[in-house]
Amino acid sequence: MDKPIAFELHGPEFIPSQYDKHIVRRLSSMDGQYLDLETYQEMLTKDDLLLYEVYEIERPEVAGELLHGVSIVHPGKVGQEYFMTKGHFHAVLDTAEVYYCLKGQGLMVLETPEGEWAVEDLSPGRVLYVPPRWAHRSVNTANQGDLIIFFIYPGHSGHDYGTIEQQGFRKLVIDGAGQPTVIDNPRWKASGVNR
Ligand code: PA5
Ligand code: NI
């Protein structure tokens, strides 16, 4: 039987005082996701920029466990589009997630396999409940400063990245004259509704 786990999570850095995994995602892992493909390629030839990081407390990936950790999306843009996470459905679609924003300014873009979509504000102190079936992506809409979020989800959820890699999100968030603006993704392909 496991013993209780406790750790510290304080600003301004919000890096957990203990963690098991530190995942870093760079520009090269976002192939085909940013609208401005040309700028993406151009930026990539110069530098494989660090877009976001995840600090994870590892738990067995089974029902009953809760996976949790901190994600940090750095500020920046590819063309007009803000730095963002890859985004995913959970492999077990009927699993939810809780996000608690610790720092920064951003948006969460969500959608269901049926194409229903939502965009929610992320700002310090705000809690966002992602119901079962909703794919989710965090977007840092600030000109400077990280977007930092604490997340918790069921141990058996798994990640389905492939669906989003193929179809994209229905909505994108761009800098429209200094304001975060939600636009249609012209490359979005509606997926099977039979999931
Ligand atoms: O489980 C989650 O939804 C988060 O912890 C994300 O994994 C994190 O924000 C990184 O995003 P992604 O997994 O889409 O790369
Ligand atoms: Ni998730």
Side-chain angles (χ1 to χ4, degrees):
M1 198 169 61
D2 286 308
K3 294 267 200 281
I5 302 167
F7 59 89
E8 308 287 321
L9 184 58
H10 300 291
E13 304 299 333
F14 291 109
I15 296 172
S17 60
Q18 70 181 59
Y19 56 87
D20 302 300
K21 260 204 278 185
H22 177 211
I23 301 159
V24 295
R25 293 254 193 257
R26 297 183 174 277
L27 199 57
S28 55
S29 65
M30 298 295 281
D31 194 30
Q33 291 302 306
Y34 284 101
L35 184 58
D36 188 343
L37 294 171
E38 209 174 300
T39 302
Y40 174 82
Q41 285 305 335
E42 225 175 84
M43 286 174 71
L44 202 52
T45 55
K46 290 189 194 125
D47 194 5
D48 193 6
L49 289 176
L50 178 60
L51 301 189
Y52 63 99
E53 308 177 58
V54 181
Y55 293 91
E56 242 177 45
I57 287 74
E58 218 162 33
R59 296 299 308 160
E61 295 190 1
V62 296
E65 288 283 350
L66 292 172
L67 294 175
H68 55 292
V70 171
S71 72
I72 303 178
V73 185
H74 298 300
K77 280 180 273 186
V78 175
Q80 293 304 107
E81 200 174 354
Y82 300 104
F83 284 2
M84 59 190 182
T85 60
K86 284 167 83 78
H88 56 266
F89 285 97
H90 287 166
V92 177
L93 201 54
D94 270 333
T95 52
E97 184 154 346
V98 173
Y99 277 85
Y100 177 47
C101 183
L102 299 168
K103 190 178 179 178
Q105 210 58 49
L107 292 171
M108 182 154 294
V109 178
L110 304 110
E111 76 183 52
T112 67
E114 291 78 20
E116 197 179 337
W117 63 274
V119 175
E120 295 291 335
D121 276 328
L122 292 170
S123 56
R126 221 168 138 78
V127 177
L128 177 55
Y129 179 69
V130 178
R133 300 178 62 79
W134 286 81
H136 39 284
R137 158 181 282 168
S138 332
V139 182
N140 184 346
T141 57
N143 290 324
Q144 37 184 313
D146 293 333
L147 173 66
I148 309 185
I149 301 159
F150 183 73
F151 61 83
I152 312 171
Y153 60 96
H156 65 302
S157 304
H159 291 88
D160 164 15
Y161 290 106
T163 303
I164 294 299
E165 276 166 8
Q166 281 171 27
Q167 76 183 36
F169 272 84
R170 185 167 192 168
K171 298 288 171 178
L172 302 174
V173 186
I174 61 161
D175 179 346
Q179 287 302 316
T181 306
V182 178
I183 60 162
D184 286 334
N185 177 1
R187 290 203 299 269
W188 181 71
K189 306 182 202 79
S191 68
V193 175
N194 308 318
R195 294 166 57 98

